[in-house]
Amino acid sequence: MTKKAFKGIIAYPITPFTENETVDISLFKEQVEQLIINNADAIAPLGSTGVLPYLDRTEKQLIVKATIEQVAGRVPVLVGVSNLTTKETIEDAIYAESAGAQAVMIIPMSYWKLTDDEIYDHYKKVADQVNIPIMAYNNPATGGVDMSPQLLKRLLGIPNVTMIKESTGDIQRMHYLKKELGDQVDFFNGSNPLALGAFVAGATGWCTAAHNLIPKLNVALYQAIQNNDLKQAQVLFYKQVDVLKFIVEKGLPRSIQAGLEILGKKGGHLRSPLNVLSNEDKEQLKVLLEHATIE
Amino acid sequence: MTKKAFKGIIAYPITPFTENETVDISLFKEQVEQLIINNADAIAPLGSTGVLPYLDRTEKQLIVKATIEQVAGRVPVLVGVSNLTTKETIEDAIYAESAGAQAVMIIPMSYWKLTDDEIYDHYKKVADQVNIPIMAYNNPATGGVDMSPQLLKRLLGIPNVTMIKESTGDIQRMHYLKKELGDQVDFFNGSNPLALGAFVAGATGWCTAAHNLIPKLNVALYQAIQNNDLKQAQVLFYKQVDVLKFIVEKGLPRSIQAGLEILGKKGGHLRSPLNVLSNEDKEQLKVLLEHATIE
Amino acid sequence: MTKKAFKGIIAYPITPFTENETVDISLFKEQVEQLIINNADAIAPLGSTGVLPYLDRTEKQLIVKATIEQVAGRVPVLVGVSNLTTKETIEDAIYAESAGAQAVMIIPMSYWKLTDDEIYDHYKKVADQVNIPIMAYNNPATGGVDMSPQLLKRLLGIPNVTMIKESTGDIQRMHYLKKELGDQVDFFNGSNPLALGAFVAGATGWCTAAHNLIPKLNVALYQAIQNNDLKQAQVLFYKQVDVLKFIVEKGLPRSIQAGLEILGKKGGHLRSPLNVLSNEDKEQLKVLLEHATIE
Amino acid sequence: MTKKAFKGIIAYPITPFTENETVDISLFKEQVEQLIINNADAIAPLGSTGVLPYLDRTEKQLIVKATIEQVAGRVPVLVGVSNLTTKETIEDAIYAESAGAQAVMIIPMSYWKLTDDEIYDHYKKVADQVNIPIMAYNNPATGGVDMSPQLLKRLLGIPNVTMIKESTGDIQRMHYLKKELGDQVDFFNGSNPLALGAFVAGATGWCTAAHNLIPKLNVALYQAIQNNDLKQAQVLFYKQVDVLKFIVEKGLPRSIQAGLEILGKKGGHLRSPLNVLSNEDKEQLKVLLEHATIE
C-alpha cells in the first residue's frame, strides 16, 4: 500500500470506557463499525480523540488489535503511537506495524520543550525501526510543541515520513506547506473549523472526530470539493461549522461521547479527570446536531 | 447608489510624497488612474495604505478631492475618515460626503483602549451626521482595538453602518460574520494572505493595496470565485500569495512604493519616520513580482 | 540641570476638559498645584494620562506653558512630545525646550509598525534639534511598538537620550535594563502595578498618575525603598496595589477623572470618544480609595 | 509536621540516567546529598526538573525511596506525584505518604484542557486518599493548564491543600495570591528569574533547581530577605539572574546536567528525546557560572 492510501475523511474513534473506567473494547468495535458503514476513507485509533496518553501499553495494544480486526482491510488504518519518551514511541510503532496498521501518526509530545534537533532525532529513531509510512502531526494545543514549517520540511527528509497533519488552525501555514512541499508530500487538516479553508488550500484529507456524529455532512463536503463545486462546498460547510466549533471548544472525547448519546447510540464513559459535558452543554449540542442535517 | 455599490476588488492607493515629504497630488492621480485602468471595482483613498493618520486635515481634503476628480464616477469611492477624536471623525466624514464619496470607512483608532459603549457612541455620532453608508473596519494590528463579532453586530443596528471590513486574518471570524450576519450585511476582507479563504467563506469584496502591483492576478482570482471554479481560484491564489504575504509583512506603504519603482513606475517618497525598504527587501520583492504572473 | 534631575515620584496630570470638550487650563493648573503640594518629585504633562494624541498643536502648547508657569521651578518638568510623524515631534520638542521644560519624553507612536532603524532615526532627528535630555519611552499597549532591550541600548548611544521609561509590566525586562545599562542610564517604571518590583529591581523613579489620588502612599513607598526597609515597602505596596491595578485596567484618564470627583475635587470632563466610568466602576473605585489609606 | 514545614530554598534534584537511559539511583543519592550539604531547606524529587512524566511507576518509586533514605529526616521531602489520570495520581500520592514524604506536589497535567470542575475533582479525589499536605502547582508552560487565582482559592477549600506554587512568572499573580489568600496559605515561587520579585511580594519559599549549581547565592538571597536588607538582596539577585534565566530558557534537566559537569561533578545522562546542551550553550553556561560567585 503506497503513501497515497490516505485521503478524504480520516475518521477518529473515541476510546470508550466502562463505568469503572476500564477500556470497553466491545463498544469500541461497534463505534468503529459505524465509521466504516458511514463511508470513512480511513480509521485512526489512538489519536487525541482516542485519549492516547491516558492509556497504558496493554490498553493501547488492545485498541490497535480491535481496530485491525474490525476494519478487516476495508479501509486503511492509521495508528497513533505518540509517547513522551523515544523508547516507548518506537515500541508502540513496532507493535502497530506488526499488528497490520498501514501507517502510524506521531506528535512530538512535550513536557520539556524540545529543540528542533531533538524532535528530528525522535522521528528518525522511530522511522529507522518501522517500514510503514509515518504522519508527522503538529498540534501545539495538545502536544505542547509547535513545529515550524522549516522543521516539518526537514522531517520529510526521513524516507518514510511522508504525510503531515496540521492542527494549528492557521490557514497561512497550510498555504506555506502546500506552496513549499506541495508535490513532495500530502498534508492533512486536523483543525475541524478549518475544514473548508484547508481543502481549498489543497489538503489531501481531513482528520476528524466529527464523523462519529455528522458523517454525511463531512463526506458531502469532501465530495463537493472533488467536484470543484465551491458554492455547494460553502453551503455544506456552513451547515456543519457550528458543530465543528462546538466539539473542538468543549473537547473531542467529551463532545463525541455526549453526541453519540444524544443520537441514541452508546457513548460509554470517560476516564478521570475527564468528565462528561454539563447538562447545559449537552442541551446546546443537541440543538446544533438537530440543525446539522444535509437536506 | 445603494450599499451594494461595493464588491470585488476594492483598490487602496498609497499617498505618495515629494522628496521634501509634502503630499504629491499629481503622482497620486496617476496612481489612481492606473488602478481604474486595471479594473479595480472601487477606489479607497486614505486607508492604512494611504497613511491616513500621518496626514493633516488639509492634506486629507486634497486627497479626497483628487480622488473624486480622477475617478470621475467610473467606480465608487470609499474614503477613510478615521481619527482618534470623535469630533475630527465627524468633520472628515462630512467633508467626504460633500466632496462626492459613495461611502466612508471608519476604524475605531485607539490610544486608550475604548470600551464597547465608547466605540458604539463614536460610530453613532458620526453616522448621525452623514447620509452615505459607513464601513466599520476592524484591524487590531493598526487600530489597536479588536472589535468582537458581537460589537460588530451591534454597530449594524445603526442604519447607515452597512458594511464590515475584517483584517484580523482570522478565518473563523469570517465564518462567524457570514453565519450570524450573512443576509444583513456585506463583509469585506482586508487581510491579503486570506484572500482565497475569505472569498470562499463568502466575502463580498477584497480591500487590497496589492492591486497597485499585481492587478491581473487579483481580478482573475475574484473572477474564478464568481465562476465557481475552485481549482482555478486555488491556482491563481498560489501564484500571488508570496507577494501578498511580503507586502503585509514589510508594511503596505513601503512595499507598494518599492514595488511601483521595481515595475518601472513612480512610487514617490515616504513620510518620516516611515522609510524605504532595505535593498535586500527590494531585491526579494523584485523576485516575487517576477514570479507573480498570470500565465 | 543634569540628567539626574529626575528621580522618585514623577507625577502625571490629566488634561481636563470643559463640558464642551475644550481644554480647561484653569482646572489643569489647580490639578498641577495639588501634585506639587503633595510632594511630587517632578511633573510630566502630555503623557498618555494627559491624552496627548487627542490634542492639537495649540492645545498642547497651552498645556506646556501652563505647567511651566504653575510649577515655577519648584520641581523639574518632563514634557511628552510624541507624534506619529518625525516633523511634528521635532516641532513639539523645540517648543518644550524653549518654554522651559527640563526634559522631553518620546514614545515611538506607531500606526505602521516601525523598523528598528526607523525608530532610531526618529529619535536621532529629534535629539539633533534640542539640547535637553530625552526619555525614551517603551509602552506597547498604547504606542503600538515594543522596543527591544537591544534597541533601547542603541538609542542610548544618542548623546541626549539619557533616560528610559519602561511600561511593559515585564519585571524581567527591568532586570535586563539594570544589568546591561545600569551605570549608563536611569530607568523609570511606568507600570503602576509593578511599582514595588521595579524599585526593588533598581528603578530610579516611578512615573505615575496615581499621585493624583493617593500621593501619600506613593511617596511613602519610595521613602521605604530609600530607607532599605523591605518589610515596610511591602506593607505600603499592598495598601495601594488594588488602586494601581484598577486605574490601569479602566484607563488612566477615566479613572483619575472619576477618582478626583470621588475625593471631592474637580475632575473636569473627558474628550470623546473617551467617556466617564460607569456607575458600577465608580462605586468600586470609591471603595478602593477608602481602603487605600496610609494608616 | 505542620504545613509550615516548608520555607526558604526548596531544592529540586534532577533524575540522572546511565548511558543506556536507565535511572541512576546511586548518582541521584549523591546529588541529593550535595543539596542537603549546601543548606537546602527541603528536597523535592520528581518535579519537572526530575523529568517526572518520562518515568514509569517503578522508577518513580525507586526515586522516592532513595530520597527518603538519603535525606534521613534532616529536611522535609516534597514529592511530585502528577499524572494525566486521577487514578495514577492517587496511587503515587499514597505511595509517597507511605514511604515517608512530608508533602506531595500536584500539577494538573493536561492533554485535553481540563475544566475548573475537573481540576477541582482531581485534587479532591487525591486529597481524600492521603493525610499529608498537598501543594497545588500552577505551571502552564509544562502542565498545559493555567489555573486562575479563583480556582487556586477554591482548591484551598480542600482541607489538606495548604500550599500553592506559582510558576507563571507573573508577578501580579503573586500580588493577587498574597493579597487574597495571604493568611490562609503559603505561596511558593517556581519561576527562577522572579526569585527576588516573588520574595518581595511575600513568597514563603523558592522552589528551584538552581541550588544544584549556585547554592550559596540562592541561600544568601533568602537570608538577605529574612534580614530585611533590600539593597543586599538586590546585589545578590543580580549576581545570579543570568544563570537563572539561562537554565529556564534552555530547560532545567539539560542545564543542570551540563552545569554539574562544568563544575566538575557527575551530571549523568538524559533520557531521549531530551538531549544534552549544544557545545555553544555549554560554553555560555560555563562563563555564566564563573561570574555567579558570592564574593
Side-chain angles (χ1 to χ4, degrees):
Chain A
M1 189 171 280
T2 73
K3 70 172 179 175
K4 296 294 181 191
F6 294 93
K7 62 177 175 48
I9 304 299
I10 301 176
Y12 280 62
I14 58 170
T15 296
F17 296 89
T18 63
E19 196 165 356
N20 62 356
E21 300 196 10
T22 60
V23 174
D24 188 338
I25 291 294
S26 158
L27 178 51
F28 174 75
K29 285 184 152 190
E30 281 180 42
Q31 291 169 343
V32 168
E33 184 61 26
Q34 285 297 308
L35 298 174
I36 297 174
I37 289 174
N38 286 310
N39 299 308
D41 294 306
I43 302 294
L46 300 179
S48 297
T49 304
V51 294
L52 168 71
Y54 298 74
L55 304 180
D56 67 24
R57 161 93 17 111
T58 308
E59 292 169 332
K60 290 192 278 190
Q61 295 190 347
L62 284 173
I63 289 287
V64 173
K65 202 161 155 285
T67 309
I68 303 289
E69 280 174 13
Q70 191 65 34
V71 170
R74 290 178 285 177
V75 294
V77 171
L78 170 69
V79 174
V81 296
S82 311
N83 281 279
L84 269 175
T85 65
T86 305
K87 184 164 168 283
E88 290 169 296
T89 309
I90 291 171
E91 291 165 357
D92 284 356
I94 289 173
Y95 180 82
E97 180 172 23
S98 71
Q102 275 68 41
V104 292
M105 175 173 65
I106 299 175
I107 186 170
M109 288 176 68
S110 172
Y111 188 81
W112 284 104
K113 189 175 153 45
L114 300 177
T115 65
D116 279 8
D117 284 346
E118 287 172 340
I119 292 173
Y120 179 83
D121 288 348
H122 183 67
Y123 277 99
K124 183 74 173 64
K125 285 177 184 168
V126 181
D128 285 350
Q129 302 295 322
V130 293
N131 296 302
I132 51 176
I134 292 174
M135 178 186 279
Y137 174 23
N138 191 40
N139 188 353
T142 49
V145 167
D146 191 1
M147 294 192 280
S148 68
Q150 290 73 23
L151 175 57
L152 290 173
K153 195 169 181 175
R154 187 175 162 205
L155 292 181
L156 293 170
I158 302 171
N160 50 340
V161 177
T162 58
M163 300 178 279
I164 287 179
K165 176 180 170 189
E166 257 285 336
S167 293
T168 41
D170 178 358
I171 193 78
Q172 294 196 40
R173 184 107 116 180
M174 295 197 183
H175 295 156
Y176 176 90
L177 292 176
K178 180 66 183 174
K179 183 111 188 164
E180 293 297 309
L181 314 176
D183 297 332
Q184 298 168 54
V185 64
D186 289 333
F187 79 91
F188 297 80
N189 169 43
S191 171
N192 285 299
L194 231 63
L196 176 59
F199 275 135
V200 167
T204 300
W206 174 17
C207 298
T208 184
H211 189 270
N212 288 281
L213 304 182
I214 48 169
K216 284 184 188 168
L217 281 170
N218 302 157
V219 170
L221 174 59
Y222 178 59
Q223 203 53 54
I225 296 291
Q226 294 294 96
N227 296 342
N228 196 34
D229 188 346
L230 176 55
K231 288 197 168 58
Q232 178 66 3
Q234 195 184 95
V235 168
L236 288 164
F237 176 69
Y238 278 115
K239 282 174 183 283
Q240 59 192 297
V241 66
D242 288 343
V243 171
L244 300 179
K245 283 169 65 179
F246 180 94
I247 63 176
V248 169
E249 193 182 320
K250 298 300 177 179
L252 295 173
R254 294 184 199 94
S255 302
I256 301 303
Q257 188 269 350
L260 287 169
E261 300 274 342
I262 288 167
L263 295 173
K265 298 172 184 174
K266 281 186 284 182
H269 295 265
L270 297 162
R271 175 168 279 183
S272 302
L274 296 181
N275 204 345
V276 293
L277 289 188
S278 69
N279 287 332
E280 195 185 334
D281 286 341
K282 283 180 191 169
E283 206 49 53
Q284 193 191 340
L285 178 56
K286 188 162 179 282
V287 172
L288 293 179
L289 287 174
E290 282 165 5
H291 286 81
T293 56
I294 200 160
E295 290 81 21
Chain B
M1 190 169 281
T2 73
K3 71 172 178 174
K4 295 294 181 192
F6 295 94
K7 63 179 173 47
I9 304 299
I10 301 176
Y12 281 61
I14 57 171
T15 296
F17 296 90
T18 63
E19 196 166 357
N20 63 355
E21 301 197 10
T22 60
V23 174
D24 187 338
I25 291 296
S26 160
L27 179 53
F28 175 75
K29 284 183 153 189
E30 280 179 44
Q31 291 170 343
V32 168
E33 185 61 26
Q34 285 298 308
L35 299 173
I36 297 174
I37 288 174
N38 285 309
N39 299 307
D41 294 306
I43 303 293
L46 299 179
S48 298
T49 304
V51 293
L52 168 71
Y54 298 75
L55 305 179
D56 68 24
R57 160 92 18 110
T58 307
E59 293 169 330
K60 290 191 279 189
Q61 295 188 349
L62 283 173
I63 289 287
V64 173
K65 201 161 154 288
T67 309
I68 303 289
E69 280 173 15
Q70 191 66 32
V71 170
R74 290 177 285 176
V75 293
V77 171
L78 170 70
V79 174
V81 297
S82 310
N83 281 279
L84 268 176
T85 66
T86 305
K87 183 165 167 286
E88 290 169 294
T89 309
I90 291 171
E91 290 165 357
D92 284 356
I94 289 173
Y95 179 82
E97 179 171 24
S98 72
Q102 275 70 39
V104 291
M105 175 172 67
I106 300 175
I107 187 170
M109 288 175 70
S110 171
Y111 187 82
W112 283 104
K113 190 176 152 43
L114 301 177
T115 65
D116 279 8
D117 284 346
E118 287 173 340
I119 292 173
Y120 179 84
D121 288 349
H122 183 67
Y123 277 98
K124 184 74 174 64
K125 286 177 184 169
V126 181
D128 284 350
Q129 302 295 323
V130 293
N131 297 302
I132 51 177
I134 292 174
M135 180 187 279
Y137 175 23
N138 190 40
N139 189 354
T142 49
V145 167
D146 191 1
M147 294 192 280
S148 68
Q150 289 72 24
L151 175 56
L152 290 172
K153 195 169 180 175
R154 187 176 161 202
L155 293 180
L156 292 170
I158 303 172
N160 49 341
V161 177
T162 59
M163 300 177 281
I164 287 179
K165 175 180 170 190
E166 257 286 335
S167 293
T168 41
D170 178 357
I171 193 75
Q172 295 196 40
R173 184 107 114 179
M174 297 200 183
H175 295 156
Y176 176 90
L177 292 175
K178 180 66 182 173
K179 182 111 188 166
E180 292 298 308
L181 315 174
D183 298 332
Q184 298 169 52
V185 64
D186 288 333
F187 79 92
F188 296 80
N189 170 43
S191 171
N192 285 299
L194 232 62
L196 176 59
F199 274 135
V200 168
T204 298
W206 175 17
C207 299
T208 185
H211 190 270
N212 288 281
L213 304 182
I214 47 169
K216 284 184 189 168
L217 281 170
N218 301 157
V219 170
L221 174 59
Y222 178 59
Q223 204 52 54
I225 297 291
Q226 294 295 97
N227 296 342
N228 197 36
D229 188 346
L230 175 55
K231 287 196 170 58
Q232 177 65 3
Q234 195 185 93
V235 168
L236 288 163
F237 175 70
Y238 278 114
K239 282 173 184 283
Q240 59 191 299
V241 65
D242 288 343
V243 171
L244 300 178
K245 283 168 67 178
F246 180 94
I247 64 177
V248 169
E249 194 182 318
K250 299 299 176 180
L252 296 172
R254 295 185 199 92
S255 302
I256 300 303
Q257 188 270 352
L260 287 169
E261 301 274 342
I262 289 167
L263 295 173
K265 298 173 184 174
K266 282 187 284 184
H269 294 264
L270 297 163
R271 176 168 279 183
S272 303
L274 295 182
N275 204 346
V276 293
L277 288 190
S278 68
N279 286 332
E280 193 186 335
D281 286 341
K282 282 180 191 168
E283 206 48 53
Q284 193 191 342
L285 179 55
K286 186 161 180 282
V287 173
L288 293 179
L289 287 174
E290 282 165 5
H291 286 83
T293 56
I294 201 160
E295 291 82 22
Chain C
M1 190 169 283
T2 73
K3 71 172 179 175
K4 296 294 182 192
F6 295 93
K7 62 177 174 50
I9 305 298
I10 301 175
Y12 281 61
I14 57 170
T15 296
F17 297 89
T18 63
E19 196 166 357
N20 61 357
E21 300 196 10
T22 59
V23 174
D24 187 339
I25 291 294
S26 159
L27 178 53
F28 175 75
K29 285 183 152 190
E30 281 180 44
Q31 291 170 344
V32 168
E33 185 61 26
Q34 285 297 308
L35 298 173
I36 297 173
I37 288 174
N38 285 309
N39 300 308
D41 294 305
I43 303 292
L46 299 179
S48 297
T49 304
V51 292
L52 168 71
Y54 298 76
L55 304 180
D56 67 25
R57 160 92 18 109
T58 308
E59 293 169 331
K60 290 191 280 189
Q61 295 189 351
L62 284 173
I63 289 286
V64 173
K65 201 161 155 287
T67 309
I68 302 290
E69 280 174 14
Q70 190 65 33
V71 170
R74 289 178 285 176
V75 293
V77 172
L78 170 69
V79 174
V81 297
S82 310
N83 281 279
L84 268 175
T85 66
T86 305
K87 183 165 168 283
E88 290 169 294
T89 309
I90 290 171
E91 290 165 357
D92 284 356
I94 288 172
Y95 180 83
E97 179 172 23
S98 72
Q102 275 67 40
V104 291
M105 175 173 65
I106 299 176
I107 186 171
M109 288 175 69
S110 170
Y111 187 81
W112 283 104
K113 189 175 154 44
L114 300 177
T115 65
D116 279 9
D117 284 345
E118 286 173 342
I119 292 173
Y120 179 84
D121 288 348
H122 183 66
Y123 276 98
K124 183 74 174 65
K125 286 177 184 170
V126 181
D128 284 350
Q129 302 294 323
V130 293
N131 297 302
I132 52 178
I134 292 174
M135 180 186 280
Y137 174 23
N138 191 39
N139 189 353
T142 51
V145 168
D146 191 1
M147 293 192 280
S148 69
Q150 289 73 23
L151 175 57
L152 290 172
K153 195 169 182 175
R154 187 175 162 203
L155 293 180
L156 292 171
I158 302 171
N160 51 340
V161 177
T162 58
M163 299 177 280
I164 287 179
K165 176 180 170 190
E166 257 285 335
S167 293
T168 42
D170 179 359
I171 193 77
Q172 294 197 40
R173 185 107 115 181
M174 297 198 182
H175 294 156
Y176 177 90
L177 292 175
K178 180 66 183 173
K179 183 112 187 163
E180 293 297 310
L181 315 175
D183 296 333
Q184 299 170 52
V185 65
D186 288 333
F187 79 91
F188 296 80
N189 170 42
S191 171
N192 285 299
L194 231 63
L196 176 59
F199 274 135
V200 168
T204 299
W206 174 17
C207 298
T208 184
H211 190 269
N212 288 281
L213 304 182
I214 48 170
K216 283 184 190 167
L217 281 169
N218 302 156
V219 170
L221 174 59
Y222 178 60
Q223 205 51 55
I225 296 291
Q226 294 294 98
N227 296 343
N228 197 33
D229 188 345
L230 175 55
K231 287 198 168 59
Q232 178 66 2
Q234 193 184 97
V235 168
L236 287 164
F237 175 70
Y238 278 115
K239 283 175 184 280
Q240 59 192 300
V241 65
D242 288 343
V243 171
L244 300 178
K245 282 169 67 178
F246 180 95
I247 63 177
V248 169
E249 194 182 319
K250 300 298 176 182
L252 296 172
R254 297 184 198 93
S255 302
I256 300 304
Q257 188 268 353
L260 287 170
E261 300 275 342
I262 289 167
L263 295 173
K265 298 172 184 175
K266 281 186 285 182
H269 295 265
L270 297 163
R271 175 167 279 183
S272 303
L274 294 182
N275 204 345
V276 293
L277 288 190
S278 68
N279 287 332
E280 194 185 335
D281 286 340
K282 283 180 190 167
E283 205 49 52
Q284 193 191 341
L285 178 56
K286 187 162 180 283
V287 173
L288 293 179
L289 287 173
E290 283 165 5
H291 286 82
T293 57
I294 201 160
E295 290 83 21
Chain D
M1 191 169 280
T2 73
K3 70 171 178 176
K4 295 295 179 190
F6 294 93
K7 63 178 174 48
I9 305 299
I10 302 176
Y12 281 61
I14 57 170
T15 296
F17 296 90
T18 63
E19 195 165 357
N20 62 355
E21 300 196 12
T22 59
V23 175
D24 187 338
I25 290 295
S26 159
L27 178 53
F28 175 76
K29 285 183 153 189
E30 280 179 44
Q31 291 170 343
V32 168
E33 185 60 27
Q34 285 298 308
L35 298 173
I36 297 173
I37 287 173
N38 286 309
N39 299 308
D41 293 306
I43 303 293
L46 300 179
S48 297
T49 303
V51 294
L52 167 71
Y54 299 75
L55 304 179
D56 68 25
R57 162 92 17 111
T58 307
E59 292 169 331
K60 290 192 279 190
Q61 295 189 350
L62 284 172
I63 289 286
V64 172
K65 202 161 155 286
T67 309
I68 302 290
E69 280 173 14
Q70 190 67 33
V71 171
R74 290 177 285 176
V75 294
V77 171
L78 169 70
V79 174
V81 297
S82 310
N83 281 278
L84 269 176
T85 66
T86 305
K87 184 166 168 283
E88 290 169 294
T89 309
I90 291 171
E91 290 165 356
D92 284 356
I94 289 173
Y95 180 82
E97 179 172 23
S98 73
Q102 275 69 41
V104 291
M105 175 173 66
I106 300 175
I107 187 170
M109 289 176 69
S110 172
Y111 187 83
W112 284 103
K113 190 175 151 44
L114 300 177
T115 66
D116 280 8
D117 283 346
E118 286 172 341
I119 291 173
Y120 179 84
D121 288 349
H122 183 68
Y123 277 99
K124 184 73 173 65
K125 285 177 184 169
V126 181
D128 284 351
Q129 301 295 323
V130 293
N131 296 303
I132 52 177
I134 292 173
M135 178 186 279
Y137 175 22
N138 191 39
N139 189 354
T142 49
V145 167
D146 191 2
M147 294 192 281
S148 68
Q150 290 71 24
L151 175 57
L152 290 172
K153 195 169 181 175
R154 186 176 161 203
L155 292 180
L156 293 170
I158 302 171
N160 50 339
V161 177
T162 57
M163 301 178 279
I164 286 180
K165 175 180 170 190
E166 258 285 334
S167 293
T168 42
D170 178 359
I171 193 77
Q172 295 196 39
R173 184 108 114 180
M174 295 197 185
H175 295 156
Y176 176 90
L177 292 175
K178 180 66 183 173
K179 183 110 186 165
E180 293 297 310
L181 315 175
D183 297 333
Q184 298 169 55
V185 64
D186 288 333
F187 79 92
F188 297 80
N189 170 43
S191 171
N192 285 298
L194 232 62
L196 176 59
F199 274 135
V200 168
T204 299
W206 174 17
C207 298
T208 184
H211 190 269
N212 288 281
L213 304 182
I214 48 169
K216 283 186 189 167
L217 281 170
N218 302 158
V219 170
L221 174 59
Y222 178 59
Q223 205 51 55
I225 296 291
Q226 295 294 98
N227 295 343
N228 197 33
D229 188 345
L230 176 55
K231 287 196 169 59
Q232 177 66 2
Q234 195 184 94
V235 168
L236 288 164
F237 175 69
Y238 278 114
K239 283 175 184 280
Q240 60 193 298
V241 65
D242 288 343
V243 171
L244 301 178
K245 283 168 68 179
F246 180 94
I247 63 177
V248 169
E249 193 181 319
K250 299 299 176 179
L252 297 173
R254 294 184 199 94
S255 302
I256 300 304
Q257 188 269 352
L260 287 170
E261 300 274 341
I262 289 167
L263 295 173
K265 296 174 185 174
K266 282 185 286 181
H269 294 265
L270 298 163
R271 174 168 280 183
S272 302
L274 295 181
N275 204 346
V276 293
L277 288 189
S278 68
N279 286 332
E280 193 186 336
D281 285 341
K282 282 180 192 168
E283 207 49 53
Q284 193 191 341
L285 179 56
K286 187 162 180 283
V287 173
L288 293 179
L289 287 174
E290 282 165 5
H291 286 82
T293 56
I294 201 159
E295 289 81 24

